[in-house]
Amino acid sequence: MFVFKAAVVGAGVMGGEIAQVIAAADIPVLLKDVDQKFVDAGLEKAREVTESQVGKLVEREKLTAAAGRAQIDRTLGLIGGGTGYDGFGDVDFVIEAVPERMDLKHAVFAELDAVTPGHAVLASNTSGLSITEIGDATNRPDKVVGFHFFWPASVMRLIEVVEGEETSAETIQAAANFAQAIRKMPIRCAECPGFVVNRILSSTAAEIWRYQDETGLDPEALDEHITQAAGMPMGPFRVADMSGLDTVVKVARDMRDAYGDRFYVHKAMEALVERGDLGAKSGKGFYEHS
Ligand SMILES: NC(=O)c1ccc[n+]([C@@H]2O[C@H](COP(=O)([O-])OP(=O)(O)OC[C@H]3O[C@@H](n4cnc5c(N)ncnc54)[C@H](O)[C@@H]3O)[C@@H](O)[C@H]2O)c1
């Protein structure tokens, strides 16, 4: 199946950049959220990323300034935004990126089932919820698949293509093809909490979180030691802030519920979320964000 037009539902930390990735591959894409201010923020993120990517090409003299400007206009012109399902009648591939809650996923998938053409693949960017259960909200569970990007979506190349019990072989193939068309690297995963990457990543992060809760060491200082010692671009507390602490806590709790106490949930992070300090998206988390 060729994807002539795509859509992204949920324009938060992930959605805006996912729409940008699709448009940068010359595929028209719609970005939908429940409120225009979230759509606008997603479109602004897509603009920032596009300008930065193209700006680097112009700096390296791979593109002239005029060609760069034209490329930015073309990419951004391929992204449409709104709060309704206008234009979803001829999409081929939809990626849902709403908060990690099964009730929300069910509501969105039931709506998508009603407004998209029968052949369209309905994909979820869930970090670990059951694709089979998400597919239950539709009349086409064979066309429901996990399509898990990593933050930041415009940079990270991996996509986990996750197979639910009902997902057809054609859908898995279509998802893997689409991942390649948007210049990503798909890996096929079985359905289990955390899939592959979060299962590995969360167990490492869990030990650092446990250590911080036990010692009370400054998260910023720990981040600095870890980035220096391991040569990582960002420490785990900053990554959590950028990803959204509500999402990170939800995923950590799901992992603990599925696999037991070896997946630790950071108490200080839970306290921040309770206070509404969600990291970069709310302006404050372990760090202050302008
Ligand atoms: N943040 C990350 O690092 C990350 C990485 C990979 C996967 N994910 C997954 O991606 C999904 C989205 O995460 P996020 O961090 O972007 O969340 P987010 O909270 O930043 O954004 C979610 C957006 O969805 C919107 N929304 C809620 N209900 C909606 C509806 N019915 N229709 C349309 N939009 C709706 C919200 O208004 C919000 O703008 C989650 O399943 C999460 O587990 C997140």
Side-chain angles (χ1 to χ4, degrees):
M1 185 188 80
F2 192 84
V3 177
F4 292 97
K5 183 175 172 187
V8 178
V9 179
V13 171
M14 298 302 289
E17 275 194 54
I18 294 174
Q20 192 278 338
V21 167
I22 296 169
D26 268 337
I27 299 168
V29 57
L30 300 169
L31 180 61
K32 181 204 179 293
D33 206 300
V34 287
D35 191 314
Q36 190 59 38
K37 72 177 182 213
F38 299 129
V39 178
D40 291 343
L43 295 174
E44 186 49 36
K45 185 74 205 172
R47 170 177 299 283
E48 265 172 42
V49 170
T50 307
E51 286 180 346
S52 156
Q53 285 176 348
V54 175
K56 282 181 194 143
L57 294 175
V58 173
E59 255 170 48
R60 288 191 218 124
E61 298 183 355
K62 305 266 184 211
L63 278 183
T64 63
R69 192 67 252 163
Q71 186 162 323
I72 291 168
D73 290 346
R74 192 177 66 236
T75 298
L76 297 178
L78 288 170
I79 311 177
T83 55
Y85 284 112
D86 292 351
F88 276 63
D90 60 349
V91 295
D92 306 298
F93 200 101
V94 185
I95 300 163
E96 161 279 310
V98 305
E100 187 77 342
R101 278 176 34 202
M102 189 54 85
D103 58 333
L104 288 180
K105 308 278 188 200
H106 269 173
V108 168
F109 273 75
E111 287 168 9
L112 287 173
D113 198 30
V115 299
T116 60
H119 74 271
V121 170
L122 306 182
S124 175
N125 188 44
T126 176
S127 301
L129 298 178
S130 161
I131 300 302
T132 307
E133 216 180 317
I134 293 174
D136 285 346
T138 72
N139 292 310
R140 57 178 109 173
D142 57 314
K143 295 197 166 58
V144 174
V145 66
F147 201 70
H148 185 214
F149 287 81
F150 294 85
W151 181 87
S154 60
V155 177
M156 302 300 277
R157 291 207 59 212
L158 190 71
I159 291 182
E160 290 176 327
V161 174
V162 187
E163 188 174 348
E165 278 168 30
E166 309 280 332
T167 313
S168 70
E170 292 75 22
T171 300
I172 294 284
Q173 190 61 56
N177 290 351
F178 183 55
Q180 287 174 328
I182 59 173
R183 304 190 180 101
K184 298 292 181 189
M185 169 86 74
I187 57 163
R188 189 171 160 183
C189 302
E191 177 173 75
C192 67
F195 311 134
V196 174
V197 174
N198 273 343
R199 217 167 142 173
I200 298 168
L201 205 64
S202 302
S203 66
T204 310
E207 275 315 297
I208 299 167
W209 294 340
R210 195 192 304 271
Y211 181 71
Q212 197 281 327
D213 268 343
E214 282 169 5
T215 60
L217 279 175
D218 177 28
E220 202 168 332
L222 267 172
D223 267 357
E224 204 175 312
H225 284 303
I226 291 163
T227 49
Q228 280 171 11
M232 292 158 79
M234 263 184 219
F237 296 97
R238 188 176 282 282
V239 170
D241 256 22
M242 299 310 294
S243 301
L245 298 183
D246 50 342
T247 304
V248 176
V249 164
K250 174 68 172 63
V251 171
R253 285 178 178 156
D254 286 351
M255 300 293 283
R256 182 199 50 203
D257 293 349
Y259 300 115
D261 283 342
R262 69 195 166 99
F263 284 93
Y264 183 77
V265 184
H266 191 228
K267 293 193 173 54
M269 201 185 302
E270 286 183 303
L272 284 169
V273 171
E274 251 166 56
R275 285 211 303 266
D277 293 333
L278 308 181
K281 67 170 131 176
S282 72
K284 191 171 181 309
F286 293 108
Y287 292 82
E288 298 280 346
H289 302 267
S290 59

